Amino acid sequence: MKQAAQAREVDVLVVGAGVAGLSAATAAAWSGKSVVLIEKSDTIGGTAAIANGSIWIPNNDPAIANGFTCDLESQVRFILSECWDGFDESQKWCGVSKETFLRVDRYVKSGLRVARDLTNTRVQTFTQLDKIFKRYFFSTKDSVDSVRQALGPNHSRSDDELAKAACSSWDYHWENKFNKVPYGKHIWAAFDLRLAGKFFFSGFRKHLWHIVQNMVSIRSLSSLADQIPNLFTKFWGFGSGLILVERFRKHLDRQKVPILKRHELVAVATNGDRVTSVDVQTADRQTLTWKIRDALIIASGCFSHQLTGDGVQDSYSVKSSCVAPGNDGDAIRILKNADVQVNQNPRPVLAQTVIQLAKEKNAISHEPVFYFYGDSFFLVDRHGRRVMNEKLTYHDRAQHHVGNAEQEFLFLVCDRRFKERYWGLGIAVPFDQKHMIVGNNESTLHEEIDRELRDNDCDFRLADNFSANLRETKIAFNEFARTGDDREFGRGKNAFDVLGYMKPDRDHDAPSRSMQPLAGEELYACIYGLSTFGTHGGLVCDEDSRVLNSAGDPWNNLYAVGTCAASFLNGHYPSHGMSIGTGMVFGYLAGLHATSNTKRL
Ligand SMILES: Cc1cc2nc3c(=O)[nH]c(=O)nc-3n(C[C@H](O)[C@H](O)[C@H](O)COP(=O)(O)OP(=O)(O)OC[C@H]3O[C@@H](n4cnc5c(N)ncnc54)[C@H](O)[C@@H]3O)c2cc1C
């Protein structure tokens, strides 16, 4: 391979060492051409390194091995119908734009080949997500019944297959009529003892204080017994995303592809429909000019940390973003004078954040933010009233904050058992106990929440009727839990509520697995606001990830992959895994396309 670093001339320059950039550099390097990957921060891995790491790829090899195959045309329609109001099967391109249709089609149909190529070349090893999530997606009789309920009466699957499905991770919008097999599509980087050991010990050291605080705060022996295994089965500060990016990094290292940290793309020079050179700023503020022979692949992430001024901040009242710090919308800014199409989609990918965590801009504790495991809890507004089925996914739950000043903040209320069992050590990062507000009863909880809001510089306050209403809400919820029938929001009525976010709990004795009456007078609460973990706008590309100009024609050698490209999800969230999935798949395809190596797949 040619040594590009000294020459400052390179065949393919990739910008951004997140999953999309790492995947693009890996694919481009197969051609033997010179490839350089630059990264403006001093860490490699971008957002995937702090993510759970699930990857949505229908008909992936582990799914096929388990007998869970699906019709890919239907999967294209599943995504389009979830994300685009104009979807109409009878229309050309299903009623959406040509580039949207072709990109969805390309993703759905190429994902399996990309994953297989990465596996065959030993760059990655993937496993089905359920292998790790078994604790949360369990195979008991009622979970099999839940899958049966989800599939409807006309399925032809055996109980064994249903039990396997019950352990698999599900698409969030599983009821979509095009989605006949709503599980089995999520893979992630397989467990690696050496890497896990390394990350485990660094995470353990980093979070030791929180772990000790959590353990000490647990009063019930059975909760403690339940939490201790979590110390060993959970890895603080990372999901398998870190293993995914670390494997890419090691492979590129072996291939001698330079990854230049603290090198920031600052300008792009063009001639007609080609990029000719780029300016890169180094840590010591030197500006280097790199001549581009074949292609520039930009994978610089989204604009989650630069929402102000894009119209997003106002309508969404976003408190924080948990994506990697470099996500400042550099691609759009740097190319603003070039003839490129930019999709200004203002709808970010949403999750809730605990307000104290929002202050630490990039901090996220997965457990209380993403997943609401457990049973004896509910979420109320400032009037102490429930507003939703709390088992909705994070993105759907977060919609309740949008454009609704009354619900700028919502309050999770639970009993001690819930706090000890489900919020202790965290699925990825242990939750700081000091963020949990405690009250001896509804009135003191009211006072304590208001105090916490004040301490966090929020003007928002609880309504005067909060504690009285909260008392009624608790009585009503406990009755729903005792009968297994949530007459207000139907929590626990569908298979997803029952299977997702729930681990077996030996103290649970109510009819619905998703609800248990709150025990005792003492109450705990946590304050939630709105957070983003991605944006949907970005550079508009064709199915080969070439950036389109204003006439809709592709640039000759300019590619955008990952979250700096406009997403076909259009502000929606049909399932988890589509962000790392599209980053990895389109990154890989762009790397092959840029080096005229598409026949490889
Ligand atoms: C907590 C959490 C959990 C998540 N879980 C999942 C999940 O399970 N599955 C899933 O699909 N998605 C998940 N996501 C989302 C997903 O991780 C990201 O959307 C995805 O990793 C983005 O990848 P990317 O390569 O496009 O961007 P990034 O990973 O953000 O990488 C962009 C990189 O470009 C660098 N960069 C930016 N500008 C420049 C420049 N000018 N010059 C050089 N470098 C630059 C940045 O420093 C950064 O390293 C999660 C996100 C979070 C925060």
Side-chain angles (χ1 to χ4, degrees):
M1 186 170 295
K2 290 170 231 168
Q3 286 300 306
Q6 284 88 15
R8 298 216 188 124
E9 194 169 324
V10 66
D11 291 329
V12 179
L13 186 81
V14 182
V15 180
V19 65
L22 289 162
S23 184
T26 299
W30 295 132
S31 63
K33 295 192 173 208
S34 62
V35 179
V36 170
L37 174 55
I38 60 166
E39 164 55 51
K40 79 173 172 186
S41 73
D42 56 7
T43 53
I44 292 171
T47 308
I50 48 169
N52 284 346
S54 76
I55 306 168
W56 188 92
I57 290 184
N59 291 358
N60 58 70
D61 282 330
I64 292 171
N66 276 332
F68 296 136
T69 51
C70 49
D71 166 35
L72 295 181
E73 297 298 341
S74 305
Q75 293 303 308
V76 173
R77 279 151 184 75
F78 162 52
I79 294 180
L80 291 174
S81 60
E82 281 290 330
C83 303
W84 296 89
D85 290 342
F87 171 79
D88 177 352
E89 242 199 312
S90 63
Q91 299 286 313
K92 193 170 182 196
W93 313 121
C94 285
V96 303
S97 73
K98 178 180 167 189
E99 80 257 1
T100 298
F101 181 91
L102 292 178
R103 275 174 70 76
V104 175
D105 193 71
R106 179 63 62 88
Y107 171 48
V108 168
K109 293 177 185 167
S110 308
L112 57 158
R113 289 201 292 275
V114 169
R116 198 171 287 160
D117 202 34
L118 286 167
T119 308
N120 290 343
T121 49
R122 295 174 185 273
V123 178
Q124 296 288 347
T125 318
F126 297 110
T127 183
Q128 227 169 348
L129 201 138
D130 68 284
K131 287 273 186 328
I132 314 238
F133 264 55
K134 268 222 162 77
R135 284 175 69 79
Y136 303 102
F137 301 90
F138 44 93
S139 61
T140 57
K141 170 145 185 346
D142 62 342
S143 62
V144 170
D145 287 347
S146 299
V147 182
R148 191 174 284 126
Q149 176 200 328
L151 285 175
N154 299 325
H155 72 85
S156 57
R157 290 172 185 272
S158 68
D159 272 11
D160 260 11
E161 283 181 307
L162 296 183
K164 268 192 206 148
C167 286
S168 291
S169 168
W170 281 33
D171 291 335
Y172 287 157
H173 289 197
W174 55 275
E175 286 170 307
N176 184 299
K177 70 171 181 174
F178 295 104
N179 202 8
K180 298 280 189 296
V181 184
Y183 39 71
K185 286 165 232 160
H186 301 96
I187 50 173
W188 63 3
F191 183 76
D192 176 313
L193 190 60
R194 222 172 46 77
L195 287 180
K198 183 173 138 194
F199 300 139
F200 175 80
F201 283 112
S202 62
F204 195 82
R205 271 205 310 274
K206 191 166 151 203
H207 298 294
L208 188 59
W209 178 233
H210 285 166
I211 294 166
V212 171
Q213 275 185 318
N214 273 299
M215 303 286 277
V216 170
S217 77
I218 296 177
R219 285 194 213 142
S220 133
L221 274 181
S222 68
S223 296
L224 191 64
D226 229 33
Q227 287 284 27
I228 283 177
N230 291 342
L231 283 170
F232 303 99
T233 56
K234 295 177 178 182
F235 308 97
W236 298 283
F238 86 109
S240 79
L242 192 49
I243 293 184
L244 181 80
V245 293
E246 179 64 7
R247 285 208 179 111
F248 271 125
R249 189 199 64 75
K250 283 171 83 172
H251 169 77
L252 289 172
D253 208 33
R254 283 195 297 271
Q255 297 287 302
K256 306 216 176 334
V257 173
I259 305 182
L260 308 178
K261 291 195 257 184
R262 305 182 77 186
H263 279 59
E264 176 175 354
L265 176 75
V266 289
V268 173
T270 61
N271 183 4
D273 65 352
R274 285 187 66 81
V275 172
T276 49
S277 66
V278 298
D279 284 350
V280 174
Q281 203 165 75
T282 60
D284 52 7
R285 306 203 71 74
Q286 254 190 298
T287 302
L288 310 175
T289 299
W290 287 76
K291 197 168 160 219
I292 307 293
R293 281 192 291 259
D294 283 356
L296 173 67
I297 304 179
I298 305 188
S300 58
C302 62
F303 52 96
S304 269
H305 291 303
Q306 284 294 334
L307 292 177
T308 320
D310 288 294
V312 177
Q313 181 86 11
D314 299 339
S315 53
Y316 281 80
S317 189
V318 171
K319 310 294 173 216
S320 74
S321 173
C322 52
V323 297
N327 282 261
D328 304 320
D330 286 12
I332 299 175
R333 199 175 54 251
I334 291 166
L335 290 168
K336 74 170 184 291
N337 295 324
D339 181 17
V340 295
Q341 276 187 47
V342 176
N343 176 332
Q344 301 283 4
N345 192 328
R347 288 186 279 192
V349 196
L350 296 173
Q352 292 174 302
T353 180
V354 177
I355 56 160
Q356 298 92 335
L357 293 178
K359 278 190 164 173
E360 309 153 28
K361 203 175 173 196
N362 303 304
I364 186 152
S365 177
H366 293 196
E367 191 167 272
V369 171
F370 277 87
Y371 301 109
F372 279 180
Y373 299 110
D375 42 20
S376 50
F377 77 99
F378 49 79
L379 204 58
V380 293
D381 64 6
R382 62 186 286 271
H383 298 281
R385 298 281 190 212
R386 283 176 74 207
V387 290
M388 67 178 97
N389 167 5
E390 295 84 355
K391 291 287 176 177
L392 292 176
T393 67
Y394 37 92
H395 181 73
D396 292 344
R397 262 189 351 250
Q399 302 296 335
H400 286 263
H401 296 274
V402 176
N404 186 346
E406 275 281 297
Q407 294 182 16
E408 184 178 349
F409 294 102
L410 292 170
F411 308 89
L412 184 140
V413 177
C414 64
D415 61 4
R416 170 168 271 278
R417 173 183 156 279
F418 174 89
K419 173 187 109 57
E420 290 185 351
R421 282 184 176 277
Y422 300 103
W423 279 27
L425 298 168
I427 185 165
V429 182
F431 186 66
D432 194 332
Q433 291 294 317
K434 71 173 188 276
H435 300 331
M436 204 85 195
I437 302 159
V438 56
N440 296 331
N441 53 40
E442 290 80 2
S443 306
T444 49
L445 190 73
H446 182 153
E447 285 163 22
E448 292 303 323
I449 291 175
D450 265 346
R451 189 204 312 273
E452 193 70 22
L453 285 166
R454 263 196 313 276
D455 289 352
N456 282 280
D457 308 321
C458 301
D459 295 332
F460 195 89
R461 291 287 175 275
L462 296 181
D464 292 343
N465 57 6
F466 179 84
S467 42
N469 286 345
L470 182 62
R471 205 162 297 130
E472 282 176 16
T473 301
K474 183 179 155 193
I475 292 168
F477 177 84
N478 283 357
E479 182 57 20
F480 298 156
R482 266 190 286 275
T483 57
D485 181 13
D486 173 9
R487 291 196 303 282
E488 231 179 334
F489 296 104
R491 172 162 143 189
K493 289 240 165 70
N494 67 60
F496 186 85
D497 290 0
V498 178
L499 282 177
Y501 313 149
M502 187 66 201
K503 65 179 177 176
D505 178 348
R506 65 180 92 105
D507 283 357
H508 180 97
D509 55 10
S512 164
R513 279 192 180 265
S514 73
M515 292 185 289
Q516 170 88 4
L518 275 67
E521 287 294 300
E522 194 180 49
L523 290 170
Y524 291 81
C526 212
I527 307 174
Y528 282 91
L530 197 55
S531 170
T532 75
F533 64 109
T535 46
H536 281 125
L539 297 166
V540 180
C541 300
D542 69 3
E543 68 275 22
D544 294 317
S545 295
R546 285 177 300 179
V547 176
L548 296 180
N549 66 18
S550 51
D553 299 321
W555 277 67
N556 185 297
N557 67 345
L558 174 62
Y559 297 77
V561 293
T563 49
C564 71
S567 167
F568 52 62
L569 296 177
N570 188 31
H572 297 266
Y573 203 74
S575 189
H576 57 110
M578 290 187 180
S579 187
I580 293 181
T582 48
M584 187 178 89
V585 170
F586 282 122
Y588 205 77
L589 296 176
L592 295 182
H593 194 271
T595 50
S596 310
N597 195 12
T598 47
K599 291 215 168 64
R600 182 184 171 87
L601 292 186

PDB file of all heavy atoms in Angstrom, residues 34 127 133 159 200 277 304 336 442 445 460 499:
ATOM      1  N   SER A  34      -4.523   4.281  -1.648  1.00  0.00           N
ATOM      2  CA  SER A  34      -4.151   4.922  -0.389  1.00  0.00           C
ATOM      3  C   SER A  34      -5.397   5.539   0.253  1.00  0.00           C
ATOM      4  O   SER A  34      -6.218   6.170  -0.420  1.00  0.00           O
ATOM      5  CB  SER A  34      -3.084   5.991  -0.619  1.00  0.00           C
ATOM      6  OG  SER A  34      -3.589   7.003  -1.449  1.00  0.00           O
ATOM      7  N   THR A 127     -23.303 -11.117  16.474  1.00  0.00           N
ATOM      8  CA  THR A 127     -24.187 -12.091  17.102  1.00  0.00           C
ATOM      9  C   THR A 127     -25.570 -11.481  17.178  1.00  0.00           C
ATOM     10  O   THR A 127     -25.726 -10.266  17.061  1.00  0.00           O
ATOM     11  CB  THR A 127     -23.668 -12.452  18.508  1.00  0.00           C
ATOM     12  OG1 THR A 127     -24.511 -13.445  19.057  1.00  0.00           O
ATOM     13  CG2 THR A 127     -23.677 -11.260  19.438  1.00  0.00           C
ATOM     14  N   PHE A 133     -29.137  -9.908  25.658  1.00  0.00           N
ATOM     15  CA  PHE A 133     -30.296  -9.304  26.305  1.00  0.00           C
ATOM     16  C   PHE A 133     -31.239 -10.334  26.922  1.00  0.00           C
ATOM     17  O   PHE A 133     -32.347 -10.003  27.280  1.00  0.00           O
ATOM     18  CB  PHE A 133     -31.065  -8.439  25.297  1.00  0.00           C
ATOM     19  CG  PHE A 133     -30.687  -6.992  25.356  1.00  0.00           C
ATOM     20  CD1 PHE A 133     -29.366  -6.608  25.218  1.00  0.00           C
ATOM     21  CD2 PHE A 133     -31.637  -6.020  25.570  1.00  0.00           C
ATOM     22  CE1 PHE A 133     -29.007  -5.280  25.278  1.00  0.00           C
ATOM     23  CE2 PHE A 133     -31.290  -4.683  25.632  1.00  0.00           C
ATOM     24  CZ  PHE A 133     -29.966  -4.309  25.486  1.00  0.00           C
ATOM     25  N   ASP A 159     -43.843 -23.515  18.718  1.00  0.00           N
ATOM     26  CA  ASP A 159     -43.615 -22.877  20.015  1.00  0.00           C
ATOM     27  C   ASP A 159     -42.129 -22.623  20.255  1.00  0.00           C
ATOM     28  O   ASP A 159     -41.743 -21.639  20.871  1.00  0.00           O
ATOM     29  CB  ASP A 159     -44.180 -23.745  21.146  1.00  0.00           C
ATOM     30  CG  ASP A 159     -45.638 -23.393  21.389  1.00  0.00           C
ATOM     31  OD1 ASP A 159     -46.212 -22.661  20.553  1.00  0.00           O
ATOM     32  OD2 ASP A 159     -46.195 -23.858  22.399  1.00  0.00           O
ATOM     33  N   PHE A 200     -14.236  -3.285  30.817  1.00  0.00           N
ATOM     34  CA  PHE A 200     -14.892  -3.499  32.104  1.00  0.00           C
ATOM     35  C   PHE A 200     -14.056  -2.882  33.222  1.00  0.00           C
ATOM     36  O   PHE A 200     -14.557  -2.136  34.058  1.00  0.00           O
ATOM     37  CB  PHE A 200     -15.077  -5.001  32.342  1.00  0.00           C
ATOM     38  CG  PHE A 200     -15.631  -5.337  33.693  1.00  0.00           C
ATOM     39  CD1 PHE A 200     -16.988  -5.230  33.936  1.00  0.00           C
ATOM     40  CD2 PHE A 200     -14.801  -5.750  34.720  1.00  0.00           C
ATOM     41  CE1 PHE A 200     -17.505  -5.530  35.184  1.00  0.00           C
ATOM     42  CE2 PHE A 200     -15.310  -6.054  35.965  1.00  0.00           C
ATOM     43  CZ  PHE A 200     -16.662  -5.942  36.198  1.00  0.00           C
ATOM     44  N   SER A 277      -9.212  19.232  -3.510  1.00  0.00           N
ATOM     45  CA  SER A 277      -8.339  19.181  -2.331  1.00  0.00           C
ATOM     46  C   SER A 277      -9.121  19.633  -1.102  1.00  0.00           C
ATOM     47  O   SER A 277     -10.227  20.179  -1.218  1.00  0.00           O
ATOM     48  CB  SER A 277      -7.119  20.087  -2.527  1.00  0.00           C
ATOM     49  OG  SER A 277      -7.542  21.434  -2.573  1.00  0.00           O
ATOM     50  N   SER A 304     -26.210  17.705  16.361  1.00  0.00           N
ATOM     51  CA  SER A 304     -26.908  17.709  17.650  1.00  0.00           C
ATOM     52  C   SER A 304     -26.379  18.754  18.622  1.00  0.00           C
ATOM     53  O   SER A 304     -27.100  19.219  19.489  1.00  0.00           O
ATOM     54  CB  SER A 304     -26.784  16.339  18.314  1.00  0.00           C
ATOM     55  OG  SER A 304     -27.860  15.529  17.954  1.00  0.00           O
ATOM     56  N   LYS A 336     -21.268  24.915   2.689  1.00  0.00           N
ATOM     57  CA  LYS A 336     -22.432  25.800   2.479  1.00  0.00           C
ATOM     58  C   LYS A 336     -22.338  26.610   1.185  1.00  0.00           C
ATOM     59  O   LYS A 336     -23.355  26.990   0.616  1.00  0.00           O
ATOM     60  CB  LYS A 336     -22.702  26.682   3.697  1.00  0.00           C
ATOM     61  CG  LYS A 336     -21.765  27.828   3.949  1.00  0.00           C
ATOM     62  CD  LYS A 336     -22.361  28.705   5.066  1.00  0.00           C
ATOM     63  CE  LYS A 336     -21.526  29.930   5.326  1.00  0.00           C
ATOM     64  NZ  LYS A 336     -20.220  29.651   5.945  1.00  0.00           N
ATOM     65  N   GLU A 442     -46.709  12.327  49.290  1.00  0.00           N
ATOM     66  CA  GLU A 442     -46.895  13.143  48.084  1.00  0.00           C
ATOM     67  C   GLU A 442     -46.522  14.604  48.326  1.00  0.00           C
ATOM     68  O   GLU A 442     -45.931  15.254  47.458  1.00  0.00           O
ATOM     69  CB  GLU A 442     -48.352  13.060  47.593  1.00  0.00           C
ATOM     70  CG  GLU A 442     -48.754  11.721  47.003  1.00  0.00           C
ATOM     71  CD  GLU A 442     -49.090  10.673  48.064  1.00  0.00           C
ATOM     72  OE1 GLU A 442     -49.051  11.002  49.273  1.00  0.00           O
ATOM     73  OE2 GLU A 442     -49.378   9.517  47.691  1.00  0.00           O
ATOM     74  N   LEU A 445     -42.773  15.108  48.625  1.00  0.00           N
ATOM     75  CA  LEU A 445     -42.175  14.882  47.296  1.00  0.00           C
ATOM     76  C   LEU A 445     -42.359  16.137  46.431  1.00  0.00           C
ATOM     77  O   LEU A 445     -41.440  16.568  45.731  1.00  0.00           O
ATOM     78  CB  LEU A 445     -42.818  13.669  46.609  1.00  0.00           C
ATOM     79  CG  LEU A 445     -42.098  13.216  45.344  1.00  0.00           C
ATOM     80  CD1 LEU A 445     -40.776  12.530  45.683  1.00  0.00           C
ATOM     81  CD2 LEU A 445     -42.955  12.263  44.514  1.00  0.00           C
ATOM     82  N   PHE A 460     -39.513  26.325  35.573  1.00  0.00           N
ATOM     83  CA  PHE A 460     -40.672  25.422  35.611  1.00  0.00           C
ATOM     84  C   PHE A 460     -40.990  25.026  37.063  1.00  0.00           C
ATOM     85  O   PHE A 460     -40.091  24.733  37.843  1.00  0.00           O
ATOM     86  CB  PHE A 460     -40.298  24.180  34.804  1.00  0.00           C
ATOM     87  CG  PHE A 460     -41.441  23.304  34.421  1.00  0.00           C
ATOM     88  CD1 PHE A 460     -42.129  23.522  33.242  1.00  0.00           C
ATOM     89  CD2 PHE A 460     -41.818  22.238  35.226  1.00  0.00           C
ATOM     90  CE1 PHE A 460     -43.172  22.685  32.864  1.00  0.00           C
ATOM     91  CE2 PHE A 460     -42.856  21.405  34.862  1.00  0.00           C
ATOM     92  CZ  PHE A 460     -43.533  21.632  33.676  1.00  0.00           C
ATOM     93  N   LEU A 499     -42.812  -7.737  26.810  1.00  0.00           N
ATOM     94  CA  LEU A 499     -41.498  -8.325  26.544  1.00  0.00           C
ATOM     95  C   LEU A 499     -40.362  -7.336  26.715  1.00  0.00           C
ATOM     96  O   LEU A 499     -39.338  -7.639  27.294  1.00  0.00           O
ATOM     97  CB  LEU A 499     -41.456  -8.855  25.111  1.00  0.00           C
ATOM     98  CG  LEU A 499     -42.157 -10.164  24.906  1.00  0.00           C
ATOM     99  CD1 LEU A 499     -42.099 -10.536  23.442  1.00  0.00           C
ATOM    100  CD2 LEU A 499     -41.510 -11.243  25.733  1.00  0.00           C
TER     101      LEU A 499
END
